[in-house]
Amino acid sequence: GAVVSQHPSRVICKSGTSVKIECRSLDFQATTMFWYRQFPKQSLMLMATSNEGSKATYEQGVEKDKFLINHASLTLSTLTVTSAHPEDSSFYICSARFGGNEKLFFGSGTQLSVL
Amino acid sequence: QQQVKQSPQSLIVQKGGISIINCAYENTAFDYFPWYQQFPGKGPALLIAIRPDVSEKKEGRFTISFNKSAKQFSLHIMDSQPGDSATYFCAATPTGNQFYFGTGTSLTVIP
């Protein structure tokens, strides 16, 4: 099956710093990548959808200046949490799909803790 | 508004038993219904999926039953094992560009 690699798996940072999370599709070209946020024992909350070479489409209520998403190539998308605060602490997960295929492949997630 | 409603929220099953998780939807434009399995601290993994033109799909111990007229679909895990203990999410999508996830079911299989 298709593999999506997400790094880092865990990051602890101080309040006010920025954190970058990488999501790579290892064996396919990801035309669309999705970024989710998940709180403990809750469902996946879609933050944004990005298509290669285009600006990301953010869901209502998600600050695009705080959560910067770049999808510069067909195999890499990044999420940068700028000026992180404790309330940004969460589990962030990326997923990718290719072409017209509806199968969604997920990264292993990143646990962000902001002190 | 929750596009996909999932129940139960949690489920405890004895080893060897059958685990059943149910989902319901309203949007008739949905045409692809996947189930994902998520272990703690990991991202979800695609388990099995179905399209509305079939009523059942089986892969090993996992079966999806689909009722198009009732707009419901369910996941059956036969001969449940402790290693199946995880959170399960159903989902639906009309085009693959937007996925709607259920709220998740935490399954615990007791040895």
Side-chain angles (χ1 to χ4, degrees), chain B residues 46-105:
Chain B
L46 178 64
L47 194 60
I48 187 172
I50 197 168
R51 295 189 186 279
D53 54 346
V54 296
S55 61
E56 185 175 283
K57 183 174 183 180
K58 183 176 181 179
E59 289 184 2
R61 295 185 294 110
F62 301 92
T63 300
I64 299 179
S65 295
F66 190 87
N67 187 328
K68 188 174 181 178
S69 60
K71 290 185 274 189
Q72 296 175 346
F73 59 110
S74 59
L75 175 69
H76 297 236
I77 306 175
M78 313 299 287
D79 187 27
S80 298
Q81 299 296 313
D84 297 330
S85 298
T87 299
Y88 293 81
F89 292 97
C90 62
T93 179
T95 62
N97 288 326
Q98 180 98 5
F99 285 78
Y100 298 90
F101 289 88
T103 48
T105 296

Side-chain angles (χ1 to χ4, degrees), chain A residues 38 43 97 102 104 106-108, chain B residues 36 38 43-44 51 96-97 99 102:
Chain A
Q38 187 178 36
S43 189
R97 57 182 286 268
E102 293 133 323
L104 201 57
F106 285 86
S108 53
Chain B
Y36 294 90
Q38 184 180 29
R51 295 189 186 279
N97 288 326
F99 285 78

Side-chain angles (χ1 to χ4, degrees), chain A:
Chain A
V3 178
V4 175
S5 176
Q6 184 174 343
H7 291 282
S9 59
R10 182 178 295 270
V11 58
I12 302 172
C13 69
K14 291 183 178 180
S15 185
T17 60
S18 294
V19 174
K20 180 183 282 189
I21 302 169
E22 288 191 351
C23 182
R24 293 180 184 272
S25 56
L26 298 185
D27 51 2
F28 67 98
Q29 293 184 325
T31 50
T32 305
M33 284 190 171
F34 304 90
W35 286 93
Y36 298 88
R37 185 172 180 176
Q38 187 178 36
F39 293 102
K41 299 187 185 300
Q42 293 193 23
S43 189
L44 303 160
M45 184 184 78
L46 180 65
M47 298 176 66
T49 302
S50 72
N51 294 295
E52 185 266 340
S54 302
K55 288 185 178 180
T57 302
Y58 290 81
E59 295 299 302
Q60 191 173 8
V62 178
E63 300 176 58
K64 62 180 181 180
D65 294 331
K66 181 167 189 61
F67 299 98
L68 301 178
I69 292 173
N70 185 287
H71 190 170
S73 77
L74 284 170
T75 59
L76 174 65
S77 177
T78 60
L79 167 67
T80 301
V81 183
T82 62
S83 186
H85 288 95
E87 57 266 30
D88 299 324
S89 298
S90 188
F91 192 57
Y92 293 87
I93 311 172
C94 69
S95 68
R97 57 182 286 268
F98 57 93
N101 195 317
E102 293 133 323
K103 288 186 178 180
L104 201 57
F105 301 96
F106 285 86
S108 53
T110 297
Q111 182 63 54
L112 171 63
S113 299
V114 184
L115 305 179

